[in-house]
Amino acid sequence: MKPKPSPSPLGKTLLPAAAIQKRVGELARAITAHYRGKPLVVVALLNGSLFFLVDLLRRMPPETGVECWRVSSYEGTASQGILRGLDQCRGDFKGRHVLLLDDILDTGLTLHAVAAHLRKLGAEKVEICVLLNKRRKRTVNVKPKWTGFGIGDEFVVGYGLDYNGHYRGLKSIRLFKASGASAPATA
Ligand code: XMP
């Protein structure tokens, strides 16, 4: 007897590609209007905000500055509660307006720590923009100025969001059930 194929861990499409693109356009317009006349640097957290950053930046004024920082707290579908990589994140932010960009706000630990780090590096004002905001109790209080979409407390992949490094390239955002996952774990 042939072994049964394992069920796909990919669940329903929560946000189709067209809806994401439309919302990113709206965010770019709102952010551009807010920072008119103020030089802005976007600090994007990789790898999750990769596609969000590119799509947003292409719709913003060409003089917008950009820095990419690599930090991580997730393994599989759970936050490890420890932020790795922040000690490598440096730059001259003295007196600058910074827009901190991330794919998703979950416990709040990542954005809280990175915003504090930017202030320590001298940033005059730090605002936060996230594509997704999970409706859940936060570990720490974080208030993004701009949010793409509010979603339930479920694990999602696609448009930069991953499960152990996989599924980032999906154009839409989909629910994900780790119990059916066959993707190998990556470091
Ligand atoms: P915290 O808990 O620090 O989490 O707010 C932020 C980071 O956790 C990752 N994360 C997810 N990644 N699907 C993902 O692919 C999810 O549903 C999810 N929830 C949190 C993500 O890297 C984010 O930057």
Side-chain angles (χ1 to χ4, degrees):
M1 256 208 338
K2 271 193 193 160
K4 264 197 192 161
S6 49
S8 168
L10 288 175
K12 77 165 189 184
T13 299
L14 204 61
L15 298 166
I20 298 172
Q21 291 304 319
K22 180 169 177 273
R23 186 70 188 123
V24 173
E26 290 167 358
L27 290 172
R29 282 193 290 280
I31 293 165
T32 301
H34 179 83
Y35 286 105
R36 196 153 287 139
K38 290 180 202 145
L40 171 67
V41 58
V42 175
V43 172
L45 303 186
L46 298 184
N47 296 325
S49 68
L50 188 63
F51 296 99
F52 184 31
L53 170 68
V54 169
D55 287 342
L56 193 76
L57 211 61
R58 280 183 176 155
R59 292 163 164 124
M60 287 177 60
E63 63 272 18
T64 307
V66 61
E67 296 285 339
C68 295
W69 282 358
R70 194 159 183 186
V71 294
S72 68
S73 62
Y74 254 64
E75 241 169 68
T77 61
S79 170
Q80 304 303 300
I82 305 159
L83 193 61
R84 285 173 296 169
L86 199 55
D87 49 334
Q88 304 295 315
C89 299
R90 296 185 201 104
D92 183 9
F93 293 95
K94 273 186 208 90
R96 300 180 81 183
H97 288 268
V98 179
L99 177 65
L100 177 52
L101 197 72
D102 204 6
D103 51 356
I104 188 164
L105 172 60
D106 189 352
T107 65
L109 285 170
T110 303
L111 287 166
H112 189 265
V114 177
H117 186 68
L118 280 163
R119 285 185 205 104
K120 233 196 277 171
L121 293 174
E124 180 173 323
K125 184 121 180 120
V126 180
E127 298 288 9
I128 292 172
C129 174
V130 289
L131 181 66
L132 305 178
N133 189 340
K134 268 193 197 178
R135 272 178 238 109
R136 58 160 286 168
K137 196 172 178 297
R138 305 258 181 261
T139 308
V140 286
N141 192 24
V142 172
K143 293 257 174 280
K145 189 162 182 79
W146 295 279
T147 291
F149 303 91
I151 65 165
D153 189 5
E154 289 173 295
F155 197 80
V156 292
V157 295
Y159 195 67
L161 292 133
D162 72 307
Y163 173 72
N164 283 342
H166 301 268
Y167 306 106
R168 287 193 202 278
L170 288 170
K171 289 187 177 140
S172 57
I173 292 177
R174 296 179 65 168
L175 295 181
F176 184 85
K177 292 272 171 277
S179 53
S182 55
T186 55

